[in-house]
Structure formats: structure tokens, C-alpha cells
Amino acid sequence: MTINERYEAAREAYKAVGVNTDEALEALKRIPISMHCWQGDDVIGFDGAGGLSGGIQTTGNYPGRARNPQELMNDMGKALSLIPGKHRINLHASYAIFEEGEWADRDQLEPKHFAKWVEFAKERGIGIDFNPTLFSHPKAENATLSSEDEEIRSFWIRHVQACIRISEYFAGEQGTPCTMNIWIPDGFKDVPADRTSPRARLKDSLDQILSMDYDKTKVYVAVESKVFGIGMESCTVGSHEFYMNYASKNDILCLLDSGHYHPTEVVSDKISSMLLFFDKVALHVTRPVRWDSDHVVLFDDETKEIAKEIIRGGADRILLALDFFDASINRLSAWIVGMRNMQKALLNALLLPNETLARLQEEREFTEQMMLQEELKLYPVGDVWNYFCEINGVPAKEDWFEEVRSYEKEVLLNRK
Ligand code: RNT
Ligand code: ZN
């Protein structure tokens, strides 16, 4: 049977439970996922400011890491060409691109340092999201926006403000709003004696940052909380309560990273609550394995559950990005598997008879609800997925992998 014939059969199967597969495919095509540049080079960046720090870690030394802007762009371009649909790219400030002999510290970054990224995105007609980089830098050794050292704190305030300007530039050039997400590593390895002062300083820093004039319709500022980091096990200054309250009082957004909560706490259960109080919510989908390990996103239960909440809550209210960095496998494959899995999870959610299931819940018909949810798990979502790949001009099934293999042979393995 061809992919088309299989799709026709799947369409009938879904129709019988009240699901229109053509509509699902149209909807899926309209959901952009922001692909994080930092998977391609193990979160190293180009500004040479310092090795990876801040309590996050990549492990592995699979050959072929991108070592400069051109290599990273080539790799991202290749990966994007094997992912169906139109997406976005997510950059960090440490990926500034300098001219020969030029360098600027983080607080001096300007839009021109990102002009080559704009070119890259324009060629593909895609949007750009951005992140100030408050780690991997000598001034981030102890603390950043919560620092007791006023000089250091104001350095990072200036950095984030510079990033807001750059985000405005991206939004203006690409004609689509830029989500600018602030994450800081500040915290304590051991039991602190004063949890309030650092948090009060972080609050003041954010106030100072946001006091600048910027176009809120172009830049969506978000704050990303965390429960712990390596070396910051006992207390993180930017905790969930801190940022949720801050964001809600100051009319900015929260970003929920699926690796940043207690092991049995899930982001899928948080989205609906956030959407009742915020216009939008930003996500970093990742896969924590026993800790915030940032493994590649799989087509697993929590990813599927997150996708259901995105579809049921309204995909246009979710700023969806991925955040993982695995240096132990082919980095293009990591991107492609993660991006395609996120899309498969979204498709899976779009192919559910969501209204029927919700009605069963309202009628407290939990027996039938469970039965139907379970039966639907073996419906032919894969046949619909393969057809989606085909009509979007990318290889279906595992057929994309050959291209990654030859790219590895021809390009990656020559990077010594
Ligand atoms: C770290 C956060 C943060 C980073 C990226 C590189 O725990 O998840 O989002 O992973 O900004
Ligand atoms: Zn994150």
C-alpha cells in the first residue's frame, strides 16, 4: 500500500470517531516550533566568553560539533529541511557573530551582531526567538541579576536590556513577534541563610530592565524558573513562585521548562491554569531523565500530554520551543528526532475526538472515557504522519536518516 492509500484508510478510521484528518493536517502545518540553535554546538556559542557554566551540562563527544556560525547555520538548515512545516529558530546572545578582530562584551551587544542570523531566517521566511545569556561568562561565576555585587548586577541588567533591543530588531526584520526568555542560573549549593535578599535583588533587576521603553507587541518577555541546577541544589533564586508572581504582576510571560520541576510534577498539568491567568504561555519542551538532563524529546507520554494541552488550550496561545542538548549522538539527528516527535505529539492530539472526550467527562462517564482514550492510542496516527511528511515535501518514516548519514560522512566527520 502506498502512503496515499494508507492515508485514505486512516481518514476513514478517524472519520468513524468524528475526527477530520484533513483539518488536523492543516492545523498541524500552522504550529511553528522554535528550534534551539544550542543543540548544534553543545551550548558553547561564538563569543568565546567562557565554557558552559550555570549548572547545566552536555555530556558526550560525538564527532561533528559545529564550531563556527557557518557550520551551525549549515547544520540547522539541513535539519530544518528534513522537518515538515515552517518553524522558527531560537538563539542565545552568546551566538553573536563578530567581524574579524571585533568583539563585544554581553552588555555591548547590538543588532548588527545578529545580522547574519536575520539573513539566515529571511532566506527561509522564518521567525527568530531570543535569549539573553547569563551564564558561561566570567561575570556569571557567582550570581547575575541577583548578585550582591552592584557592578555585576548592573552589567547583567544592561545585557538583558541590550537583548530586548536585539529582540525588537528581530521582530521588525522578520515581521513576527520575538519571544525573549530570561533564565538565570543564580542559586545556592547549600542551605542559604537569607533567601529574601537575592530574590529582592532579582525583582529589582527585572524592574529596572522592564522600565525601558520597548514595543510589547513585538517582544514577548518571558521568565523561566527552575527548581535546582548542578551546584545550585538547595535553592534557586528564580523559583517558580517567584517568576509566576512576578510575571503576573508585571504583565510579562512565564516560560515552563518540562525539566524544571520536581520529578513527579508535570508541565502538562500546569498549562490550563496558566492560560486562565495569562494571555500566552511559553514552553521549553525537553526530557528530564532522573534530573534536568535535557535529553532529546521522545514521542512519550508526557510529550503527548503536553501536546494535548496545547491543542485543547489553543495552539496560538502557546509559544512553543524545544530545549535539549545531547552531545553523545549525531546533533542533526537529535534536532530532527526531537522536532518531529513534538509534531507527532501535536498530530496525535489533533486526531483525538476532543469534544467527545470532554463531553464524557462532563457526563462523568469515566468508564467509557477511559476505554475510548485507550483504544484511540492504537489508531493509525503514523499513516497520517507519513502523509503529512509527504505533502510537505520531506521524507516520511525513517527515510530522512540516510540524508543525515551522508551529511555526517561528507561534512561532519571532516570537522577535526
Ligand atoms: C537551563 C534552562 C535554559 C537553558 C537554555 C540554554 O536549565 O533550561 O533554558 O537550557 O537557555
Ligand atoms: Zn529551558
Side-chain angles (χ1 to χ4, degrees):
M1 256 163 99
T2 65
I3 286 182
N4 270 295
E5 286 161 354
R6 284 184 181 279
Y7 176 67
E8 290 307 324
R11 181 174 25 204
E12 290 311 305
Y14 278 107
K15 201 167 152 193
V17 285
V19 174
N20 184 323
T21 53
D22 294 328
E23 282 172 15
L25 292 182
E26 266 309 304
L28 182 61
K29 208 177 154 178
R30 285 194 301 268
I31 306 177
I33 305 170
S34 200
M35 190 174 94
H36 55 309
C37 73
W38 53 91
Q39 164 62 61
D41 77 329
D42 310 342
V43 209
I44 290 173
F46 308 134
D47 70 353
L52 182 58
S53 77
I56 55 178
Q57 221 164 61
T58 53
T59 56
N61 53 2
Y62 198 84
R65 183 183 83 74
R67 298 161 303 180
N68 54 53
Q70 200 49 58
E71 288 181 355
L72 186 59
M73 286 181 196
N74 292 346
D75 294 357
M76 291 174 81
K78 183 75 193 173
L80 286 169
S81 76
L82 296 170
I83 299 161
K86 216 180 228 194
H87 297 282
R88 304 174 62 86
I89 56 168
N90 205 359
L91 303 177
H92 245 285
S94 52
Y95 290 80
I97 300 174
F98 303 117
E99 298 289 323
E100 221 12 73
E102 184 200 21
W103 184 76
D105 209 347
R106 301 255 171 97
D107 64 333
Q108 302 298 318
L109 289 173
E110 293 175 51
K112 68 171 184 199
H113 300 126
F114 294 87
K116 292 220 173 75
W117 284 112
V118 165
E119 222 173 274
F120 174 88
K122 275 193 178 161
E123 274 165 21
R124 291 163 178 80
I126 59 181
I128 305 180
D129 298 310
F130 200 46
N131 304 261
T133 311
L134 297 104
F135 53 86
S136 304
H137 187 283
K139 288 199 164 69
E141 255 163 40
N142 294 321
T144 62
L145 294 178
S146 77
S147 178
E148 59 283 2
D149 180 327
E150 283 304 305
E151 227 179 278
I152 292 209
R153 194 160 73 90
S154 60
F155 173 85
W156 291 112
I157 290 171
R158 289 196 303 277
H159 170 57
V160 180
Q161 291 185 321
C163 288
I164 291 182
R165 285 284 166 257
I166 295 162
S167 301
E168 268 183 336
Y169 158 71
F170 287 146
E173 292 291 323
Q174 306 307 121
T176 154
C178 171
T179 300
M180 195 202 81
N181 173 55
I182 305 169
W183 171 73
I184 64 165
D186 302 19
F188 300 95
K189 181 182 177 73
D190 228 315
V191 188
D194 176 6
R195 296 169 194 264
T196 306
S197 302
R199 288 186 168 134
R201 284 191 295 265
L202 174 56
K203 183 166 178 269
D204 177 73
S205 297
L206 292 170
D207 288 346
Q208 288 191 46
I209 291 164
L210 296 174
S211 72
M212 73 187 266
D213 235 2
Y214 72 97
D215 187 342
K216 285 198 153 197
T217 65
K218 284 189 174 166
V219 182
Y220 299 151
V221 174
V223 280
E224 177 182 12
S225 71
K226 188 160 178 169
V227 65
F228 85 100
I230 299 176
M232 265 79 69
E233 290 86 356
S234 299
C235 171
T236 40
V237 179
S239 62
H240 184 54
E241 296 71 18
F242 177 92
Y243 281 134
M244 197 160 59
N245 282 303
Y246 190 89
S248 123
K249 289 217 166 181
N250 293 279
D251 199 23
I252 58 169
L253 301 176
C254 275
L255 183 144
L256 313 180
D257 180 308
S258 50
H260 288 191
Y261 297 88
H262 290 280
T264 61
E265 195 181 353
V266 282
V267 159
S268 54
D269 188 49
K270 299 179 186 299
I271 295 170
S272 50
S273 301
M274 298 302 288
L275 288 178
L276 287 175
F277 296 93
F278 292 87
D279 178 38
K280 290 188 163 56
V281 61
L283 297 181
H284 271 180
V285 180
T286 184
R287 180 167 51 106
V289 178
R290 306 191 194 286
W291 67 288
D292 181 32
S293 61
D294 290 296
H295 279 65
V296 175
V297 168
L298 300 184
F299 186 57
D300 58 12
D301 283 350
E302 174 56 5
T303 308
K304 285 187 229 176
E305 216 54 44
I306 288 174
K308 288 183 204 169
E309 293 304 311
I310 294 174
I311 297 307
R312 292 166 181 171
D316 53 335
R317 296 179 63 195
I318 310 286
L319 305 162
L320 178 56
L322 304 187
D323 179 16
F324 50 78
F325 23 96
D326 191 338
S328 75
I329 55 175
N330 180 300
R331 294 166 185 80
L332 277 83
S333 189
W335 268 320
I336 299 165
V337 167
M339 291 284 283
R340 287 173 65 120
N341 278 339
M342 189 69 237
Q343 288 185 289
K344 287 178 204 164
L346 291 164
L347 177 62
N348 182 66
L350 286 161
L351 290 175
L352 295 176
N354 288 308
E355 277 169 29
T356 306
L357 291 168
R359 179 179 50 76
L360 290 172
Q361 178 179 318
E362 295 288 284
E363 291 167 357
R364 306 192 77 78
E365 291 286 354
F366 297 124
T367 309
E368 189 179 342
Q369 188 195 46
M370 179 198 276
M371 177 285 298
L372 190 54
Q373 288 188 142
E374 290 307 299
E375 289 301 331
L376 285 160
K377 285 183 180 171
L378 294 190
Y379 268 52
V381 57
D383 292 338
V384 182
W385 167 254
N386 290 332
Y387 179 73
F388 182 69
C389 290
E390 185 150 293
I391 60 175
N392 283 284
V394 307
K397 298 183 286 184
E398 62 274 25
D399 297 353
W400 55 270
F401 193 66
E402 254 325 293
E403 286 209 34
V404 171
R405 266 283 180 242
S406 32
Y407 188 81
E408 178 170 292
K409 264 193 220 111
E410 284 152 28
V411 181
L412 301 181
L413 292 179
N414 297 323
R415 295 178 187 165
K416 291 272 153 55

